[in-house]
Structure formats: C-alpha cells, structure tokens
Amino acid sequence: MIESQGVDSILLVTAETYSKHINPGDRGTMALFGDGAAVTLLRKGERGLDDFVLGTDGSGADQFIVKS
C-alpha cells in the first residue's frame, strides 16, 4: 500500500488468541500461553520501505503487574 497507493503510514495490528484453544481449568498452561497482540507502525522513508528499525518499548510494564 505504501509503495503502490501513495499511503505514507500503515498501522499493522496482529493478535493471537490462544485462550480459546486452552482448557480454562489448566491455570499453569493459561499463564504461559495467554492471548497477545502487537502493533507496528510502518512509515514511508526517503527510499521507500528499504530499511526497518524494530524494537520494543517496555515503559509502563509496571502497569501490567498485579501485586498480591
């Protein structure tokens, strides 16, 4: 789309929903194979889509931890 249709940016969203395939009574397995999602922003550069810089941002990870 970026190369052929003149779009400058694309937001790519991917997800896995393993929870619908796992026994809900098996708490050990559910903790290992839970659902997940990722978002990737692709932007057109000076040379098109030749180079990719992939990384993660772990800021805010403490928001996902439930302390008991």
Side-chain angles (χ1 to χ4, degrees), residues 33-63:
F33 300 105
D35 298 344
V39 177
T40 304
L41 176 62
L42 300 173
R43 289 188 181 158
K44 185 175 185 177
E46 293 177 11
R47 300 181 309 171
L49 290 173
D50 293 340
D51 299 326
F52 283 88
V53 177
L54 298 176
T56 58
D57 178 2
S59 64
D62 58 326
Q63 303 297 314

Side-chain angles (χ1 to χ4, degrees), residues 4-66:
S4 65
Q5 297 182 8
V7 177
D8 291 331
S9 301
I10 294 176
L11 190 63
L12 176 65
V13 180
T14 58
E16 297 176 326
T17 54
Y18 286 116
S19 62
K20 60 185 172 186
H21 302 290
I22 296 175
N23 179 354
D26 186 355
R27 299 248 182 225
T29 303
M30 288 195 75
L32 294 173
F33 300 105
D35 298 344
V39 177
T40 304
L41 176 62
L42 300 173
R43 289 188 181 158
K44 185 175 185 177
E46 293 177 11
R47 300 181 309 171
L49 290 173
D50 293 340
D51 299 326
F52 283 88
V53 177
L54 298 176
T56 58
D57 178 2
S59 64
D62 58 326
Q63 303 297 314
F64 291 103
I65 298 172
V66 178

